[in-house]
Amino acid sequence: MPDWNDVRYAVVIARCGSLAAASRQLGVDQTTVARRLRALEACLGTPLFERLGGQLTPTPIGEALLARGQRMEAEVAALCHLVGDRQAQVKGVVRITAVDTLASHYLARQLADLRGRYPELAIEIIASSRSLDLGRREADIALRLARPADGDLVVRCVGRLAYGVYGPEKPLLCTSWQTAPWVGYERSLDLVPEMRWLSEQVGQHNVSFRCNNIDALANAVADGLGLGILPCLVGGHHPGLRCLSGDKAVLSREIWLVLPRELRDVPRVRVVGDWLVERFRRDEARFSRAG
């Protein structure tokens, strides 16, 4: 199959009438233009030009190929304009809400890539365990650990967040998880899967410290205040923690990307949503791996 770049060189040669003029237009030396033409003719098994009156003139086969090549050139140019127009529209503010685990330990460290692609885009991240109302535009995109039950929303599962049991590097003076002190979320979050797991497996009678911030809980565990069930994304990278539950996650939660249906085709929202799907797919193992 012919290389499009070789076809492009042939189109320019036909337009210019000589290898020298084509090389100047393409910004390469004449030897490169001649080599590209020979490669295309070898691939097709036939000459594409003949010299008439000091000019390179397409042969009948050359005419047929160049007609198609010119259409391809026009389509590529149209595609470039389309991409340029799309990028020109991708500007303004996009507000993303996510739990602090994803906001602090993942999103904030990924945004340089997004800004590199769309420099006129501004991102606001709202780290909150509360489900902001997308319908009231409290945020444009949400990353949630539970699928929304209602609302005119576009939802997509983009991965799973693994959890493990973590303790401090220096072991606590206890013989089992049941007798160890624990840290956990504040009581308003007793129904989240992590706290339900703690109730079912250990009970909450030994919870000695509660907080709604994941970094505060991780630091409390590292300081020896108790054991904790933490996202492996956090616990696995904290220098003062060690995983006590092995390589298999004790539980995992689905990560859902959510946005209002009416914003789905707004360029700045669409490209950020697509980018989030791309990044979570790329880093799937980072979220699902325990230990």
Side-chain angles (χ1 to χ4, degrees), residues 35-77:
R35 177 172 53 79
R36 289 280 196 173
L37 177 59
R38 286 197 303 271
L40 181 60
E41 291 177 332
C43 176
L44 297 173
T46 183
L48 297 176
F49 293 90
E50 56 186 352
R51 188 171 294 278
L52 296 174
Q55 294 281 315
L56 288 177
T57 303
T59 64
I61 295 295
E63 290 279 9
L65 177 133
L66 292 168
R68 289 169 173 78
Q70 288 164 353
R71 289 198 294 270
M72 291 169 63
E73 185 180 51
E75 288 295 330
V76 170

Side-chain angles (χ1 to χ4, degrees), residues 34-212:
R35 177 172 53 79
R36 289 280 196 173
L37 177 59
R38 286 197 303 271
L40 181 60
E41 291 177 332
C43 176
L44 297 173
T46 183
L48 297 176
F49 293 90
E50 56 186 352
R51 188 171 294 278
L52 296 174
Q55 294 281 315
L56 288 177
T57 303
T59 64
I61 295 295
E63 290 279 9
L65 177 133
L66 292 168
R68 289 169 173 78
Q70 288 164 353
R71 289 198 294 270
M72 291 169 63
E73 185 180 51
E75 288 295 330
V76 170
L79 180 60
C80 290
H81 285 303
L82 178 65
V83 172
D85 291 343
R86 183 181 182 190
Q87 290 180 327
Q89 298 176 58
V90 179
K91 57 185 177 181
V93 178
V94 176
R95 306 180 78 209
I96 305 172
T97 180
V99 294
D100 57 352
T101 296
L102 297 177
S104 300
H105 293 269
Y106 185 69
L107 289 179
R109 299 177 180 179
Q110 303 296 318
L111 291 177
D113 174 80
L114 181 61
R115 283 276 298 164
R117 300 186 196 187
Y118 304 102
E120 294 188 70
L121 200 60
I123 302 296
E124 295 181 5
I125 294 181
I126 308 163
S128 175
S129 57
R130 183 174 69 90
S131 293
L132 300 188
D133 191 335
L134 299 182
R136 293 171 55 190
R137 295 298 177 272
E138 292 183 328
D140 302 308
I141 297 174
L143 288 167
R144 295 177 176 169
L145 298 183
R147 179 170 185 158
D150 51 35
D152 191 17
L153 304 168
V154 176
V155 298
R156 180 169 181 173
C157 184
V158 293
R160 300 188 72 90
L161 185 62
Y163 287 75
V165 174
Y166 288 86
E169 287 186 332
K170 183 179 179 180
L172 297 175
L173 297 176
C174 57
T175 59
S176 69
W177 290 359
Q178 279 69 26
T179 60
W182 285 77
V183 306
Y185 289 125
E186 61 177 327
R187 293 192 180 278
S188 66
L189 298 173
D190 274 352
L191 294 181
V192 300
E194 304 96 293
M195 295 306 289
R196 290 205 307 268
W197 181 92
L198 184 58
S199 293
E200 294 167 1
Q201 301 296 323
V202 181
Q204 293 195 29
H205 55 281
N206 281 346
V207 176
S208 58
F209 172 70
R210 292 178 180 270
C211 183
N212 66 349

Side-chain angles (χ1 to χ4, degrees), residues 12-40:
V12 176
I13 293 169
R15 189 177 294 137
C16 295
S18 72
L19 297 179
S23 70
R24 289 192 295 271
Q25 180 169 326
L26 290 164
V28 299
D29 59 63
Q30 187 171 329
T31 303
T32 299
V33 177
R35 177 172 53 79
R36 289 280 196 173
L37 177 59
R38 286 197 303 271
L40 181 60

